[in-house]
Amino acid sequence: MSSHGIRAGDAWRSVLAPHMTPRLAPALLDVATSVVAYLALMAAMFSAFRISYLLVLVLAIPAGGFLVRTFSVFHDCAHASFVRSKRATATLGAVLGVVLYTPFAWWRHEHAVHHATTGDLDRRGVGDIQTLMVDEYRARSWWGRLRYRLFRNPFVMFVVGPVWVLVIGQRLVTRGMRARLRHSVLGTDLSLALVIGGLCWLVGWREFLLVQSPPVLLAGAAGIWLFYVQHQFEDAYWQTNDEWSFEDAALQGSSHLVLPRILRFFTGNIGLHHVPHLSERIPNYNLQAAHEAGGLESVATMSLRDGIRAVRLKLWDQDQRRLVTFREAGRNRSYANTGA
């Protein structure tokens, strides 16, 4: 046991090993209660458009929830943990990537880097939300500070963010991108062009935008918030590379977000985020059992309210070793300048 009352090292492999085995029945149930349910609701929304757009907006709420749940399946496919067959996992992931507007192989690569570097101050910037230390923020020009403030603004993150991430950012091929990742992006773009073009021809471009946009933007905002609170909380783990530990980053730098039962369903238990960071081979339908078997009660626990309040945190204070708000960072600087 570590000083935090948590098993460390090789002991985890024996504790969590029984939960790393994919199971076909819950996997099929996951597919039925995620992407199949989402596509059925989308069909209902296109039909409801002829009756009342208000009805479309009402249906967009559960549709957005099922789209978030679809992402939990996509996430497991990226970790090759969803079903036993690697080929079936990759094929399902690529198909879901079109539904989610997300290139599968590209996202899998970015997310693997995220798991390997989360909480490492010297390896920030890939697959995570940009986080500056207080000194780094102060050293920026006024324009650099303004850009960071805009980036961390809730409106930009949760309203503009989904549009950029899902609609624009993941459509782009960047210089130096590996061929496999480039093909993933271009293949998803082509598939989306065919699917969207076909739907626009079938129902009309206006109807497509008015029906598809609400659930996608709702799910995108929820997804960004979930990803944010999983690693952006007051006592989150951040260390320089020479002091960084994979186990500590997983268990002290990944939150346990305790959500109401209905939200646990729609998020695929992703609130138990410390578990896949400890072992990415555990599928979402085994997360709760793994959490209970591992005795992980001492990980950072957050309520829904805590998760909403965590959005205020913007900078890592290296002296206090916690995330702080812009106001706290300014106040601490003023306090330091007094010499007190």
Side-chain angles (χ1 to χ4, degrees):
M1 304 286 284
S2 73
S3 60
H4 296 274
I6 297 173
R7 296 182 181 87
D10 293 340
W12 281 117
R13 278 180 272 278
S14 60
V15 172
L16 298 180
H19 307 286
M20 297 180 191
T21 303
R23 294 180 291 144
L24 183 60
L28 291 176
L29 182 61
D30 265 8
V31 172
T33 57
S34 58
V35 65
V36 173
Y38 168 71
L39 294 177
L41 265 176
M42 286 302 304
M45 290 168 67
F46 279 115
S47 297
F49 187 85
R50 303 169 187 170
I51 303 171
S52 168
Y53 190 62
L54 179 60
L55 180 57
V56 171
L57 294 178
V58 170
L59 292 175
I61 298 174
F66 283 117
L67 192 56
V68 172
R69 184 165 171 81
T70 298
F71 188 85
S72 73
V73 176
F74 176 83
H75 172 268
D76 286 355
C77 290
H79 287 310
S81 65
F82 191 63
V83 293
R84 290 177 182 270
S85 169
K86 292 184 177 180
R87 177 175 293 182
T89 297
T91 300
L92 178 60
V95 172
L96 295 183
V98 177
V99 177
L100 294 162
Y101 293 75
T102 303
F104 177 66
W106 173 85
W107 192 86
R108 178 176 58 187
H109 168 77
E110 295 280 302
H111 196 60
V113 174
H114 163 69
H115 271 255
T117 61
T118 184
D120 190 330
L121 287 169
D122 298 319
R123 295 191 291 172
R124 287 167 287 164
V126 178
D128 58 13
I129 292 176
Q130 183 187 24
T131 304
L132 292 180
M133 292 188 288
V134 172
D135 288 349
E136 292 173 335
Y137 173 75
R138 290 172 179 167
R140 286 192 166 195
S141 65
W142 71 269
W143 172 239
R145 292 194 297 272
L146 178 60
R147 282 190 302 167
Y148 184 74
R149 279 180 174 270
L150 288 174
F151 173 78
R152 300 285 295 219
N153 181 277
F155 178 82
V156 173
M157 291 182 65
F158 304 123
V159 179
V160 180
V163 177
W164 168 256
V165 172
L166 295 175
V167 180
I168 303 172
Q170 296 182 147
R171 310 279 71 77
L172 306 177
V173 173
T174 59
R175 179 177 299 179
M177 183 179 284
R178 297 177 184 175
R180 176 173 57 86
L181 305 183
R182 185 170 62 251
H183 294 159
S184 174
V185 174
L186 294 176
T188 303
D189 290 351
L190 177 60
S191 298
L192 282 170
L194 293 173
V195 171
I196 294 173
L199 285 172
C200 288
W201 174 78
L202 186 65
V203 302
W205 68 268
R206 178 174 172 271
E207 288 81 356
F208 171 80
L209 287 177
L210 289 173
V211 170
Q212 175 75 152
S213 297
V216 169
L217 296 180
L218 281 173
I224 290 174
W225 176 76
L226 285 166
F227 194 81
Y228 183 96
V229 299
Q230 286 161 359
H231 303 287
Q232 301 277 326
F233 50 92
E234 186 172 5
D235 298 318
Y237 176 92
W238 287 98
Q239 289 285 358
T240 55
N241 184 252
D242 57 335
E243 296 180 340
W244 182 83
S245 160
F246 177 83
E247 287 82 9
D248 287 342
L251 296 170
Q252 299 173 39
S254 302
S255 65
H256 174 196
L257 181 62
V258 182
L259 296 170
R261 184 181 296 274
I262 185 65
L263 295 184
R264 291 201 300 271
F265 168 79
F266 279 122
T267 60
N269 280 327
I270 199 63
L272 294 161
H273 198 62
H274 53 291
V275 181
H277 264 273
L278 191 62
S279 175
E280 62 185 26
R281 299 309 300 270
I282 300 175
N284 75 87
Y285 48 78
N286 287 344
L287 290 178
Q288 185 64 48
H291 170 78
E292 294 171 356
L296 304 179
E297 292 79 8
S298 57
V299 299
T301 301
M302 301 176 68
S303 66
L304 179 59
R305 182 179 180 181
D306 293 332
I308 294 172
R309 288 171 58 85
V311 175
R312 302 175 304 119
L313 304 174
K314 310 294 184 181
L315 298 163
W316 175 253
D317 189 314
Q318 55 270 46
D319 296 324
Q320 299 186 67
R321 305 200 63 76
R322 67 184 184 92
L323 281 171
V324 298
T325 65
F326 286 126
R327 180 176 296 181
E328 287 175 317
R331 185 167 61 242
N332 293 341
R333 182 181 187 181
S334 299
Y335 181 79
N337 289 340
T338 65

